[in-house]
Amino acid sequence: MTALKLELRGITKRFGSLVANDHIDLTVEPGEIHCLLGENGAGKSTLMNVLYGLYEPTSGEIVVDGTPREFRTAGDAIAAGIGMVHQHFMLVPVFTVAENVMLGHEETQALGWLDRRRAKKKVLDLVAEYGLAVDPDALVEDLPVGLQQRVEILKALVRDAKVLILDEPTAVLTPQETEELFRVMRSLRESGVSIVFITHKLKEVKAVADRITVIRRGKVVGSADPAASETELASLMVGRPVDLVVHKEPAQPGEVRFALDKLTVLDDFGNVQVDAVDLELREGEILGIAGVQGNGQTELTQAILGLRRPAAGSIRLDGRDITALSPRKTLDAGVGFVPEDRQHDGIVGEFTVSENLVLDLVTRPPFGNGISVDPKAVRDNARKRVAEFDIRTQSIDTPAGSLSGGNQQKVVVAREMSRPLRMFIASQPTRGVDVGAMEFIHQRIVAERDIGTPVIIVSTELDEVVALADRIAVMYRGRIVGIVPPTASREQLGLLMAGVDDPELLARAAGNPNLVTEDDSTATAEGSAPEADPTAGEEGQA
């Protein structure tokens, strides 16, 4: 393969008054893994969409092997040797691997029949050349996420991509699948393919990058060596020193405050998404729910809040059955809730910041009495929360929908954590916030636990779950397949996330046989409560 050198010179992309990319220079050398590191919303994906022909730059130029090029479509970029694997895959589930790989540039036999044999051979040749083990005859819908991602990579390689853009490629992978992806990336690099790796995960950057370019608020703020510490990288991303460690004392769990009994939840099409889940949560502990996105976590939290009616089973809080309560009555019962989709379920974009900060409190004193609202109390509260949670807004009267994603998240967290709670649930609590704000939110979650509130954290970020949780429940295809302490090995967690239920294999991954499985899913860590199961493993901190 003939490698190519890629240069972006002075790339600027504006959306109205918003400058997403501001005179960015970037060079990708032949056969290197170049990491584009930055917070969510820093402008990384926008820049790559410009490179791939999905956006037209406002100014600047793209240079390939010393020749300026103009990409008006993705086809132009592909023709120049640039491929992209998007975070959300572009595959046809009912097609085979070979059919997906050849889609859009099919080869035909006489009379126009598709030449499936040649398509299969091309896939097998690429599999052999790059070590991308995947069956060309397999249906994509039957493949795990990690193999679907390989199909996307094959789609780019069959079009002779010499530069491969990977946009947040580990977001939907287990730890084992992530390691396998890194192996594939190194193999591609050795074959001369350049890779632009977009991420905000510091550990992954250090594990695989040859060079690192850091983007902050649409600008390149520096380059870094992979040998740099995570703290140094985080400071470069945010622009100030950041403490990446979650500091917390060992949990002191009390009595059971929340329980699920054989909870079953269906999706909108009648498919089982939560399958007869039993779970208990004690006061003063954080239960982390881990798993690859799409294994029932969303439906579970929706059912707890009342956004989705369970098909069977019950939900109890402080001995009270809240299974059939509406979202309003569930919130009134003392449940704080940070939804995974803040724009759909967390804020009203047209309402001001001050109004959004009292959405579920506006009918109560001091903000209102059910008939009228006290504007002064609402505004005083907003000023206090904006300062306390570092919500960056021009004014408390600014529409919440105009804020950045991270600041919208801060509005939701501030509202839910600024009232007395009997239980707190946070789904993807730090999605879209910078590492500095993440540090603050983590501190607040731990503080909520320390005053006795039972807390559930749902996150696809395994580092976040491990750092915050006192126990970790792993969901796979709607079931709790295991509950482990935060000291569990990444290998063990990865096996559980992939649905592996072989006790011997799990025990070997754990380093000892003391694994809590779904048969004992309500057990707590040893020493956390008088009635704790002694097989649950020793309590430890991340």
Side-chain angles (χ1 to χ4, degrees):
M1 172 179 287
T2 303
L4 61 78
K5 181 175 180 178
L6 176 69
E7 297 174 86
L8 303 182
R9 298 177 180 172
I11 294 293
T12 296
K13 179 60 182 176
R14 293 188 177 91
F15 298 94
S17 61
L18 173 66
V19 181
N21 296 145
D22 190 358
H23 295 89
I24 289 181
D25 295 325
L26 180 71
T27 301
V28 181
E29 298 291 345
E32 75 167 356
I33 298 175
H34 194 127
C35 177
L36 204 57
L37 179 66
E39 306 159 358
N40 288 311
K44 308 183 299 295
S45 294
T46 298
L47 182 66
M48 290 301 101
N49 284 331
V50 168
L51 172 58
Y52 195 56
L54 299 177
Y55 292 156
E56 186 175 348
T58 305
S59 62
E61 64 178 355
I62 300 169
V63 179
V64 179
D65 278 341
T67 303
R69 303 292 295 268
E70 189 172 312
F71 300 152
R72 295 191 177 276
T73 67
D76 294 340
I78 291 170
I82 298 168
M84 184 169 182
V85 177
H86 299 269
Q87 185 173 346
H88 303 289
F89 302 153
M90 310 291 186
L91 300 172
V92 181
V94 296
F95 282 9
T96 67
V97 169
E99 289 168 343
N100 269 280
V101 169
M102 303 307 296
L103 191 63
H105 63 124
E106 299 86 349
E107 297 186 31
T108 58
Q109 301 172 328
L111 302 178
W113 291 99
L114 289 176
D115 193 341
R116 287 184 169 83
R117 180 176 298 178
R118 187 182 299 181
K120 180 177 177 178
K121 183 179 185 304
K122 283 195 172 183
V123 172
L124 289 173
D125 288 345
L126 289 170
V127 164
E129 182 176 357
Y130 296 107
L132 290 161
V134 61
D135 180 3
D137 294 323
L139 290 177
V140 164
E141 64 184 355
D142 295 332
L143 297 178
V145 174
L147 290 185
Q148 290 186 26
Q149 189 173 66
R150 292 189 191 183
V151 179
E152 285 282 18
I153 293 173
L154 285 168
K155 283 173 56 180
L157 294 175
V158 80
R159 292 162 173 77
D160 199 27
K162 300 178 180 65
V163 175
L164 185 62
I165 305 165
L166 301 178
D167 188 2
E168 299 284 359
T170 65
V172 294
L173 302 183
T174 67
Q176 282 89 339
E177 288 172 330
T178 297
E179 286 301 320
E180 183 60 21
L181 173 65
F182 289 169
R183 184 197 66 77
V184 169
M185 290 169 63
R186 295 183 184 107
S187 174
L188 291 170
R189 176 185 59 190
E190 294 305 313
S191 300
V193 176
S194 302
I195 296 173
V196 182
F197 177 37
I198 305 174
T199 188
H200 63 276
K201 299 180 181 181
L202 302 177
K203 284 185 173 62
E204 295 177 0
V205 170
K206 291 178 60 62
V208 78
D210 296 315
R211 284 198 300 149
I212 302 168
T213 295
V214 182
I215 294 182
R216 185 170 71 241
R217 298 186 180 183
K219 294 182 178 182
V220 171
V221 294
S223 298
D225 189 279
S229 69
E230 290 184 31
T231 301
E232 291 172 326
L233 293 174
S235 299
L236 196 56
M237 286 171 62
V238 179
R240 64 174 179 81
V242 178
D243 188 351
L244 298 176
V245 179
V246 177
H247 298 284
K248 61 188 179 82
E249 297 297 322
Q252 302 295 328
E255 62 183 21
V256 173
R257 296 273 300 278
F258 176 79
L260 305 178
D261 181 20
K262 297 293 185 292
L263 189 72
T264 299
V265 185
L266 310 181
D267 64 15
D268 295 336
F269 303 99
N271 303 309
V272 175
Q273 297 298 319
V274 179
D275 189 3
V277 166
D278 292 324
L279 201 61
E280 288 186 347
L281 180 63
R282 299 176 180 273
E283 68 179 19
E285 74 166 345
I286 298 173
L287 175 69
I289 297 182
V292 175
Q293 186 75 30
N295 278 278
Q297 304 98 314
T298 298
E299 291 78 9
L300 177 65
T301 57
Q302 288 176 339
I304 293 172
L305 191 71
L307 290 168
R308 187 178 292 274
R309 184 64 61 88
S314 66
I315 306 169
R316 303 188 71 84
L317 176 62
D318 289 332
R320 176 189 177 189
D321 191 330
I322 64 169
T323 311
L325 293 187
S326 67
R328 162 57 61 193
K329 290 184 177 179
T330 303
L331 293 171
D332 289 344
V335 177
F337 182 65
V338 175
E340 67 178 65
D341 187 342
R342 56 179 167 261
Q343 292 186 330
H344 187 267
D345 298 317
I347 65 168
V348 179
E350 295 78 11
F351 286 12
T352 66
V353 170
S354 60
E355 290 167 339
N356 272 278
L357 284 166
V358 294
L359 277 182
D360 50 5
L361 299 170
V362 74
T363 59
R364 300 180 182 181
F367 308 115
N369 57 16
I371 299 175
S372 61
V373 175
D374 184 343
K376 182 179 183 302
V378 171
R379 294 176 66 81
D380 288 346
N381 174 74
R383 293 188 187 96
K384 181 178 180 181
R385 301 310 171 201
V386 164
E388 182 181 2
F389 286 80
D390 189 27
I391 300 169
R392 298 177 186 179
T393 176
Q394 292 181 342
S395 163
I396 61 173
D397 297 318
T398 298
S402 68
L403 301 182
S404 69
N407 282 296
Q408 290 177 12
Q409 186 78 351
K410 291 180 190 178
V411 169
V412 178
V413 172
R415 180 184 67 232
E416 297 303 304
M417 301 195 79
S418 299
R419 60 188 175 95
L421 298 176
R422 303 199 65 77
M423 179 183 178
F424 180 62
I425 307 169
S427 187
Q428 317 302 336
T430 57
R431 175 175 285 172
V433 304
D434 63 47
V435 290
M438 186 184 303
E439 172 189 18
F440 178 77
I441 291 172
H442 287 171
Q443 290 172 350
R444 290 300 298 254
I445 290 172
V446 172
E448 196 68 38
R449 177 205 73 166
D450 290 345
I451 63 174
T453 306
V455 177
I456 292 179
I457 297 297
V458 182
S459 179
T460 55
E461 299 287 352
L462 195 53
D463 287 342
E464 182 168 58
V465 173
V466 170
L468 286 173
D470 302 305
R471 291 186 297 143
I472 300 174
V474 182
M475 286 194 75
Y476 177 75
R477 294 188 177 178
R479 297 182 63 85
I480 301 293
V481 294
I483 294 187
V484 295
T487 50
S489 71
R490 294 304 174 96
E491 182 183 1
Q492 183 187 16
L493 287 167
L495 289 173
L496 288 169
M497 290 167 65
V500 174
D501 59 2
D502 183 331
E504 183 177 345
L505 188 60
L506 288 168
R508 212 164 39 239
N512 64 70
N514 296 325
L515 172 71
V516 182
T517 66
E518 59 181 321
D519 294 327
D520 192 18
S521 62
T522 60
T524 58
E526 182 178 67
S528 62
E531 46 279 288
D533 187 332
T535 67
E538 295 182 1
E539 181 179 34
Q541 301 300 316

